[in-house]
Amino acid sequence: MDDAFVARAQETLAKDTSVVPEFWQNKYKTEASVNWDKFYNRHTTNFFKDRHWTDREFEELRPGHAFSEQNPVLLEIGCGVGNFIWPVLERNPNLKVFACDFSPRAVGFVKAHEAYSEDRCHAFVCDITKDRLSDTIPPHSVDIVSAIFVFSALPPEKQAQAVQNIAEILKPGGQVLFRDYAMYDLAQLRFKPGHKLEDNLYVRQDGTLSYYFTVERLRELFVQHGGMVEQENGYTVKRLVNVKKNIDSERIFAQAKFQAPIDSSAIDEAMAGTQLSDTSDAAQSDGMAMRTD
Protein backbone atom coordinates (compact mmCIF):
# COMPACT_ATOMS: atom_id res chain seq x y z
CA MET A 1 0.00 0.00 0.00
CA ASP A 2 1.56 3.27 -1.06
CA ASP A 3 0.92 6.62 0.60
CA ALA A 4 -1.35 7.82 -2.20
CA PHE A 5 -3.58 4.75 -1.89
CA VAL A 6 -3.81 5.10 1.90
CA ALA A 7 -4.70 8.79 1.57
CA ARG A 8 -7.52 8.01 -0.88
CA ALA A 9 -8.81 5.21 1.35
CA GLN A 10 -8.79 7.43 4.41
CA GLU A 11 -10.69 10.10 2.49
CA THR A 12 -13.33 7.57 1.46
CA LEU A 13 -13.81 6.26 4.99
CA ALA A 14 -13.93 9.76 6.46
CA LYS A 15 -17.03 10.53 4.39
CA ASP A 16 -19.05 7.89 6.24
CA THR A 17 -19.79 9.62 9.52
CA SER A 18 -23.05 7.84 10.38
CA VAL A 19 -23.27 4.73 12.56
CA VAL A 20 -25.98 2.14 13.01
CA PRO A 21 -28.22 2.94 16.04
CA GLU A 22 -27.15 1.31 19.29
CA PHE A 23 -30.19 -0.99 19.41
CA TRP A 24 -29.29 -2.49 16.04
CA GLN A 25 -25.60 -2.67 16.91
CA ASN A 26 -26.42 -4.82 19.93
CA LYS A 27 -28.85 -6.92 17.93
CA TYR A 28 -26.35 -7.68 15.14
CA LYS A 29 -23.65 -8.56 17.66
CA THR A 30 -25.94 -10.74 19.76
CA GLU A 31 -27.35 -12.57 16.75
CA ALA A 32 -24.06 -13.12 14.91
CA SER A 33 -24.33 -16.90 14.95
CA VAL A 34 -28.02 -16.80 13.98
CA ASN A 35 -27.32 -14.65 10.93
CA TRP A 36 -24.50 -16.93 9.77
CA ASP A 37 -26.80 -19.91 10.22
CA LYS A 38 -29.31 -18.18 7.94
CA PHE A 39 -26.50 -17.51 5.46
CA TYR A 40 -25.69 -21.23 5.21
CA ASN A 41 -29.38 -22.05 4.97
CA ARG A 42 -29.58 -19.85 1.85
CA HIS A 43 -26.28 -20.76 0.21
CA THR A 44 -25.69 -24.30 1.60
CA THR A 45 -22.22 -25.37 0.39
CA ASN A 46 -22.23 -23.31 -2.80
CA PHE A 47 -20.91 -19.87 -1.80
CA PHE A 48 -17.21 -20.40 -0.99
CA LYS A 49 -14.64 -22.41 -2.92
CA ASP A 50 -12.30 -24.93 -1.33
CA ARG A 51 -9.16 -23.26 0.01
CA HIS A 52 -6.50 -24.98 -2.05
CA TRP A 53 -4.26 -21.92 -1.66
CA THR A 54 -3.59 -22.23 2.06
CA ASP A 55 -0.39 -24.29 1.79
CA ARG A 56 1.05 -21.67 -0.57
CA GLU A 57 0.54 -18.97 2.04
CA PHE A 58 1.40 -21.10 5.08
CA GLU A 59 4.23 -23.57 4.62
CA GLU A 60 3.27 -25.16 7.93
CA LEU A 61 0.33 -26.79 6.14
CA ARG A 62 2.53 -28.62 3.64
CA PRO A 63 3.21 -32.34 4.07
CA GLY A 64 6.41 -33.06 5.93
CA HIS A 65 6.65 -29.61 7.49
CA ALA A 66 4.92 -28.80 10.77
CA PHE A 67 2.93 -31.99 10.35
CA SER A 68 6.01 -34.18 10.45
CA GLU A 69 5.07 -35.35 13.95
CA GLN A 70 3.59 -38.81 14.26
CA ASN A 71 0.09 -37.68 15.24
CA PRO A 72 -0.28 -33.98 14.40
CA VAL A 73 -3.46 -32.17 15.47
CA LEU A 74 -5.03 -29.11 13.87
CA LEU A 75 -8.01 -27.04 14.96
CA GLU A 76 -9.93 -25.10 12.33
CA ILE A 77 -12.03 -22.35 13.97
CA GLY A 78 -14.89 -20.94 11.94
CA CYS A 79 -14.82 -24.00 9.73
CA GLY A 80 -17.94 -23.08 7.77
CA VAL A 81 -18.87 -25.96 5.48
CA GLY A 82 -15.35 -27.38 5.38
CA ASN A 83 -13.66 -25.52 2.54
CA PHE A 84 -10.35 -25.53 4.42
CA ILE A 85 -10.69 -28.99 5.94
CA TRP A 86 -10.94 -31.21 2.89
CA PRO A 87 -7.82 -29.98 1.02
CA VAL A 88 -5.64 -30.06 4.14
CA LEU A 89 -6.78 -33.57 5.07
CA GLU A 90 -6.10 -34.80 1.56
CA ARG A 91 -2.56 -33.37 1.60
CA ASN A 92 -1.74 -34.66 5.08
CA PRO A 93 -2.87 -38.28 5.56
CA ASN A 94 -1.67 -38.53 9.18
CA LEU A 95 -3.40 -35.36 10.33
CA LYS A 96 -6.21 -35.25 12.90
CA VAL A 97 -8.52 -32.23 12.57
CA PHE A 98 -10.92 -30.65 15.01
CA ALA A 99 -13.31 -28.21 13.32
CA CYS A 100 -15.78 -25.85 14.93
CA ASP A 101 -18.22 -23.14 13.95
CA PHE A 102 -20.95 -21.24 15.76
CA SER A 103 -23.39 -22.11 12.99
CA PRO A 104 -25.06 -25.50 13.65
CA ARG A 105 -26.12 -25.65 10.02
CA ALA A 106 -22.53 -25.22 8.79
CA VAL A 107 -21.29 -27.98 11.10
CA GLY A 108 -24.09 -30.19 9.81
CA PHE A 109 -22.84 -29.71 6.25
CA VAL A 110 -19.33 -30.73 7.33
CA LYS A 111 -20.61 -33.91 8.94
CA ALA A 112 -22.70 -34.72 5.87
CA HIS A 113 -19.72 -34.47 3.50
CA GLU A 114 -18.71 -37.73 1.83
CA ALA A 115 -15.12 -37.34 3.08
CA TYR A 116 -16.11 -36.84 6.72
CA SER A 117 -14.86 -39.49 9.11
CA GLU A 118 -14.65 -39.19 12.89
CA ASP A 119 -11.36 -41.07 12.71
CA ARG A 120 -9.73 -38.02 11.12
CA CYS A 121 -12.08 -35.11 11.69
CA HIS A 122 -14.30 -34.13 14.59
CA ALA A 123 -16.67 -31.25 13.84
CA PHE A 124 -18.60 -29.57 16.62
CA VAL A 125 -20.65 -26.44 17.30
CA CYS A 126 -18.84 -23.85 19.40
CA ASP A 127 -18.99 -20.11 19.90
CA ILE A 128 -15.32 -19.46 20.67
CA THR A 129 -16.17 -16.19 22.45
CA LYS A 130 -17.99 -18.03 25.25
CA ASP A 131 -17.82 -21.84 24.90
CA ARG A 132 -14.62 -23.46 26.19
CA LEU A 133 -12.73 -25.31 23.49
CA SER A 134 -11.11 -27.37 26.24
CA ASP A 135 -14.50 -28.96 26.93
CA THR A 136 -14.07 -30.80 23.62
CA ILE A 137 -10.32 -30.71 22.97
CA PRO A 138 -7.71 -31.70 25.58
CA PRO A 139 -5.78 -28.68 26.90
CA HIS A 140 -2.40 -27.99 25.29
CA SER A 141 -2.87 -30.71 22.64
CA VAL A 142 -3.15 -28.81 19.34
CA ASP A 143 -0.17 -28.20 17.04
CA ILE A 144 -1.79 -25.63 14.75
CA VAL A 145 -4.91 -23.47 14.91
CA SER A 146 -6.11 -22.06 11.60
CA ALA A 147 -7.98 -18.76 11.95
CA ILE A 148 -8.80 -17.89 8.37
CA PHE A 149 -11.52 -15.31 7.73
CA VAL A 150 -13.21 -15.99 11.07
CA PHE A 151 -12.24 -13.26 13.55
CA SER A 152 -13.78 -10.63 11.28
CA ALA A 153 -17.18 -12.19 12.05
CA LEU A 154 -16.75 -11.56 15.79
CA PRO A 155 -17.58 -8.33 17.66
CA PRO A 156 -14.28 -6.57 18.52
CA GLU A 157 -15.00 -6.61 22.25
CA LYS A 158 -15.20 -10.42 22.19
CA GLN A 159 -12.10 -11.11 20.10
CA ALA A 160 -9.67 -11.17 23.03
CA GLN A 161 -11.80 -13.82 24.75
CA ALA A 162 -11.61 -15.94 21.61
CA VAL A 163 -7.81 -15.65 21.53
CA GLN A 164 -7.51 -16.70 25.16
CA ASN A 165 -9.83 -19.63 24.49
CA ILE A 166 -7.51 -20.78 21.70
CA ALA A 167 -4.44 -20.40 23.92
CA GLU A 168 -5.86 -22.99 26.33
CA ILE A 169 -5.70 -25.82 23.80
CA LEU A 170 -2.44 -24.93 22.00
CA LYS A 171 0.64 -27.01 22.73
CA PRO A 172 3.67 -25.13 24.00
CA GLY A 173 5.26 -23.97 20.76
CA GLY A 174 2.01 -24.49 18.84
CA GLN A 175 1.04 -21.96 16.18
CA VAL A 176 -1.93 -19.84 15.12
CA LEU A 177 -2.12 -19.20 11.38
CA PHE A 178 -4.20 -16.07 10.79
CA ARG A 179 -5.62 -14.46 7.67
CA ASP A 180 -8.50 -12.02 7.50
CA TYR A 181 -9.71 -8.72 6.06
CA ALA A 182 -7.47 -5.70 6.61
CA MET A 183 -8.25 -2.03 6.92
CA TYR A 184 -8.60 -0.28 3.53
CA ASP A 185 -9.61 -3.51 1.80
CA LEU A 186 -11.84 -2.94 -1.23
CA ALA A 187 -14.80 -4.53 0.56
CA GLN A 188 -14.55 -1.98 3.38
CA LEU A 189 -14.25 0.95 0.99
CA ARG A 190 -17.38 -0.14 -0.90
CA PHE A 191 -19.73 -0.15 2.07
CA LYS A 192 -22.48 2.43 1.68
CA PRO A 193 -23.56 4.72 4.55
CA GLY A 194 -25.80 2.93 7.02
CA HIS A 195 -23.63 -0.17 7.44
CA LYS A 196 -21.02 1.09 9.91
CA LEU A 197 -21.32 0.02 13.55
CA GLU A 198 -18.00 1.50 14.72
CA ASP A 199 -14.51 2.07 13.35
CA ASN A 200 -13.58 -0.85 11.07
CA LEU A 201 -16.75 -2.80 11.94
CA TYR A 202 -19.61 -3.08 9.44
CA VAL A 203 -22.76 -5.09 8.95
CA ARG A 204 -23.73 -6.63 5.63
CA GLN A 205 -27.27 -6.59 4.37
CA ASP A 206 -27.79 -10.15 5.59
CA GLY A 207 -26.84 -9.15 9.15
CA THR A 208 -23.39 -10.77 9.26
CA LEU A 209 -20.52 -8.70 10.65
CA SER A 210 -17.25 -7.78 8.95
CA TYR A 211 -14.30 -6.34 10.88
CA TYR A 212 -11.15 -4.98 9.18
CA PHE A 213 -7.86 -5.56 10.99
CA THR A 214 -4.59 -3.72 11.42
CA VAL A 215 -1.32 -5.38 12.40
CA GLU A 216 -1.43 -3.36 15.62
CA ARG A 217 -4.82 -4.83 16.48
CA LEU A 218 -3.53 -8.36 15.89
CA ARG A 219 -0.50 -7.71 18.10
CA GLU A 220 -2.79 -6.45 20.84
CA LEU A 221 -5.01 -9.54 20.63
CA PHE A 222 -2.48 -12.34 20.35
CA VAL A 223 0.56 -10.94 22.16
CA GLN A 224 -0.96 -8.71 24.84
CA HIS A 225 -4.14 -10.70 25.54
CA GLY A 226 -3.06 -14.15 24.39
CA GLY A 227 0.50 -14.20 25.72
CA MET A 228 1.81 -15.48 22.38
CA VAL A 229 4.97 -14.71 20.43
CA GLU A 230 4.62 -12.81 17.16
CA GLN A 231 6.39 -14.66 14.34
CA GLU A 232 4.93 -12.85 11.33
CA ASN A 233 2.43 -10.01 11.11
CA GLY A 234 1.80 -7.97 7.99
CA TYR A 235 -0.41 -7.20 5.02
CA THR A 236 -0.96 -9.20 1.85
CA VAL A 237 -2.17 -7.26 -1.18
CA LYS A 238 -3.92 -8.98 -4.08
CA ARG A 239 -4.93 -7.09 -7.19
CA LEU A 240 -8.51 -7.69 -8.27
CA VAL A 241 -9.39 -7.09 -11.92
CA ASN A 242 -12.89 -7.62 -13.35
CA VAL A 243 -13.31 -5.99 -16.75
CA LYS A 244 -17.05 -6.69 -16.98
CA LYS A 245 -17.74 -5.00 -13.63
CA ASN A 246 -15.12 -2.28 -14.23
CA ILE A 247 -13.20 -3.26 -11.10
CA ASP A 248 -9.46 -2.74 -10.85
CA SER A 249 -8.51 -2.46 -7.23
CA GLU A 250 -6.69 -4.13 -4.36
CA ARG A 251 -7.85 -6.73 -1.87
CA ILE A 252 -5.92 -6.26 1.35
CA PHE A 253 -5.63 -9.00 3.93
CA ALA A 254 -3.94 -9.20 7.31
CA GLN A 255 -1.76 -12.30 7.53
CA ALA A 256 0.11 -13.41 10.62
CA LYS A 257 1.61 -16.27 12.60
CA PHE A 258 1.68 -16.41 16.39
CA GLN A 259 3.28 -19.06 18.57
CA ALA A 260 2.40 -20.26 22.04
CA PRO A 261 5.46 -19.87 24.28
CA ILE A 262 7.31 -22.97 25.45
CA ASP A 263 6.78 -21.70 29.00
CA SER A 264 3.01 -21.69 29.48
CA SER A 265 3.23 -19.23 32.38
CA ALA A 266 3.28 -16.37 29.85
CA ILE A 267 -0.14 -17.42 28.60
CA ASP A 268 -1.45 -17.92 32.14
CA GLU A 269 -0.34 -14.39 33.04
CA ALA A 270 -2.01 -12.86 29.98
CA MET A 271 -5.24 -14.73 30.70
CA ALA A 272 -5.38 -13.88 34.39
CA GLY A 273 -8.74 -12.40 35.35
CA THR A 274 -10.47 -13.38 32.11
CA GLN A 275 -13.22 -15.97 32.18
CA LEU A 276 -15.24 -17.65 29.51
CA SER A 277 -18.73 -18.94 30.00
CA ASP A 278 -18.90 -22.29 31.77
CA THR A 279 -21.51 -23.49 29.31
CA SER A 280 -20.51 -26.16 26.82
CA ASP A 281 -23.82 -26.19 24.98
CA ALA A 282 -23.57 -26.47 21.23
CA ALA A 283 -24.76 -23.06 20.84
CA GLN A 284 -15.71 -18.93 4.33
CA SER A 285 -13.32 -19.42 1.13
CA ASP A 286 -10.41 -17.77 -0.36
CA GLY A 287 -11.52 -14.35 0.86
CA MET A 288 -11.81 -13.03 -2.67
CA ALA A 289 -15.58 -13.54 -2.63
CA MET A 290 -16.32 -9.96 -1.65
CA ARG A 291 -19.45 -9.50 0.45
CA THR A 292 -20.60 -5.94 1.05
CA ASP A 293 -24.27 -6.61 0.36
Side-chain angles (χ1 to χ4, degrees), residues 63-220:
H65 200 275
F67 293 150
S68 60
E69 296 188 18
Q70 186 174 359
N71 297 299
V73 178
L74 179 145
L75 166 63
E76 159 79 340
I77 57 172
C79 65
V81 298
N83 299 107
F84 169 87
I85 299 169
W86 312 126
V88 77
L89 280 173
E90 184 177 0
R91 289 193 301 263
N92 299 276
N94 296 322
L95 178 65
K96 168 71 175 183
V97 169
F98 288 95
C100 69
D101 201 286
F102 62 8
S103 164
R105 196 174 301 273
V107 172
F109 283 125
V110 172
K111 290 185 174 182
H113 194 278
E114 60 183 4
Y116 184 78
S117 169
E118 284 283 346
D119 292 337
R120 298 199 61 202
C121 179
H122 176 63
F124 60 104
V125 177
C126 178
D127 182 340
I128 60 171
T129 67
K130 64 179 182 180
D131 302 327
R132 275 205 185 311
L133 288 166
S134 59
D135 287 341
T136 301
I137 305 170
H140 309 303
S141 66
V142 174
D143 296 282
I144 288 180
V145 173
S146 61
I148 300 177
F149 298 107
V150 56
F151 269 81
S152 55
L154 306 178
E157 63 271 19
K158 296 183 179 181
Q159 291 170 359
Q161 292 171 291
V163 170
Q164 292 163 341
N165 199 2
I166 292 167
E168 287 187 341
I169 51 82
L170 265 180
K171 285 182 179 179
Q175 289 180 294
V176 176
L177 307 181
F178 181 99
R179 182 168 169 130
D180 218 317
Y181 305 110
M183 189 166 65
Y184 307 143
D185 178 52
L186 176 61
Q188 181 184 20
L189 300 179
R190 295 189 66 183
F191 273 111
K192 304 293 188 218
H195 290 265
K196 182 178 178 180
L197 276 67
E198 58 189 77
D199 287 347
N200 294 328
L201 179 65
Y202 298 79
V203 62
R204 303 182 183 95
Q205 189 171 351
D206 61 7
T208 58
L209 301 178
S210 186
Y211 184 82
Y212 296 84
F213 287 90
T214 64
V215 294
E216 292 80 11
R217 173 61 176 169
L218 293 182
R219 188 171 298 122
E220 175 190 354

Side-chain angles (χ1 to χ4, degrees), residues 241-259:
V241 178
N242 188 317
V243 176
K244 289 184 178 180
K245 296 184 178 180
N246 195 29
I247 296 176
D248 184 355
S249 191
E250 294 178 337
R251 298 306 311 271
I252 305 172
F253 306 119
Q255 186 161 310
K257 300 177 186 178
F258 297 94
Q259 185 176 44

Side-chain angles (χ1 to χ4, degrees), residues 23 91 186 230 282 291:
F23 170 83
R91 289 193 301 263
L186 176 61
E230 180 181 300
R291 297 188 58 226

